[in-house]
Amino acid sequence: MLRTPSPDGLRFAFGTLTVLPVKVTRWDRDAARRGMLCAPLAGLTVGVAAAAAGLLLLALGAGTLLAAVATAAVPAVLTRGLHLDGLADTADGLGSGKPAEDALRIMKQSDIGPFGVLTLLFTLLAQVAALAQAYDGSWARGALAAVVSATAARLALTTAARTGVPAARPEGLGAAVAGVVPAGGALAATAAVTLAGAAAGAYLGPFDALRTALAVVCAAAVAELLLRHCVRRFGGVTGDVFGGVAETAATTALVVLVLG
């Protein structure tokens, strides 16, 4: 059962998952649990900002492609590119084919390898292409896609931080939030975001309500597949893995939202 978000949880979520000037006053496990449960709210805020950027460009006469680029850029700016960086590092670690210890060392390096570059390239291309198609449908569909994908991305962080998912390293953000969210809380958050997405999609019609709910579910499922693979390969999660599952969820949601 979800409770009213606590101030400490909101500060933790916005202070660690966005560049907004929010000071994290507590860094203990309880604050981390509350914060990761509030992660979808941070995603909602990021998504609204992304949609606003796209709609502003459309209102100024820009085409849907430029609006899509702006919409995809805003989440990167509001997170200092940390999730995209995590995706690239995770791709390098997985693509290396090396044992867990060596793969984790590769992921900690500051440079990006070929697997990371290719993964970033195709991920961003997919996001921009899907957003452009959504904006081609209507400004409302484009805005909905921006909000739903950003929220689904942060929902993936909530589920990745559930109990039973260990940390791969004893330090870092991954270790600070690994296993802090009760499984029931993660499930409740998933249900809440799915229902909220369906309600938002319903304003565009019954089919959009179903498709939006399906986008959230598919995003969570694909992110879960990546999470489990990373746990098998690395022995647990890291901050990079969290970033990887977030971008994977966002991209999956966008693709599903423009199908059919």
Side-chain angles (χ1 to χ4, degrees), residues 74-104:
V74 167
V77 172
L78 290 182
T79 59
R80 297 190 182 93
L82 288 178
H83 293 164
L84 288 170
D85 179 66
L87 175 68
D89 288 340
T90 300
D92 281 333
L94 292 174
S96 70
K98 295 183 178 297
E101 184 177 347
D102 293 332
L104 289 171

Side-chain angles (χ1 to χ4, degrees), residues 96-116:
S96 70
K98 295 183 178 297
E101 184 177 347
D102 293 332
L104 289 171
R105 178 181 51 79
I106 290 171
M107 292 164 65
K108 286 194 70 173
Q109 294 175 355
S110 59
D111 59 333
I112 299 178
F115 290 107

Side-chain angles (χ1 to χ4, degrees), residues 90 104 107 156-157 159-162 164-180 223-224 226-243 245:
T90 300
L104 289 171
M107 292 164 65
L157 300 180
T159 58
R162 70 182 183 274
V165 180
R169 300 191 187 103
E171 75 285 339
L173 179 61
V177 300
V180 297
E224 178 67 17
L226 175 61
L227 175 68
R228 294 190 179 197
H229 183 53
C230 289
V231 170
R232 287 194 299 268
R233 282 283 284 109
F234 307 138
V237 292
T238 67
D240 288 330
V241 172
F242 276 99
V245 298

Side-chain angles (χ1 to χ4, degrees), residues 12-31:
F12 189 97
F14 282 88
T16 59
L17 301 178
T18 74
V19 298
L20 299 177
V22 178
K23 183 178 181 180
V24 180
T25 55
R26 290 177 54 190
W27 194 257
D28 54 73
R29 299 284 285 181
D30 183 61

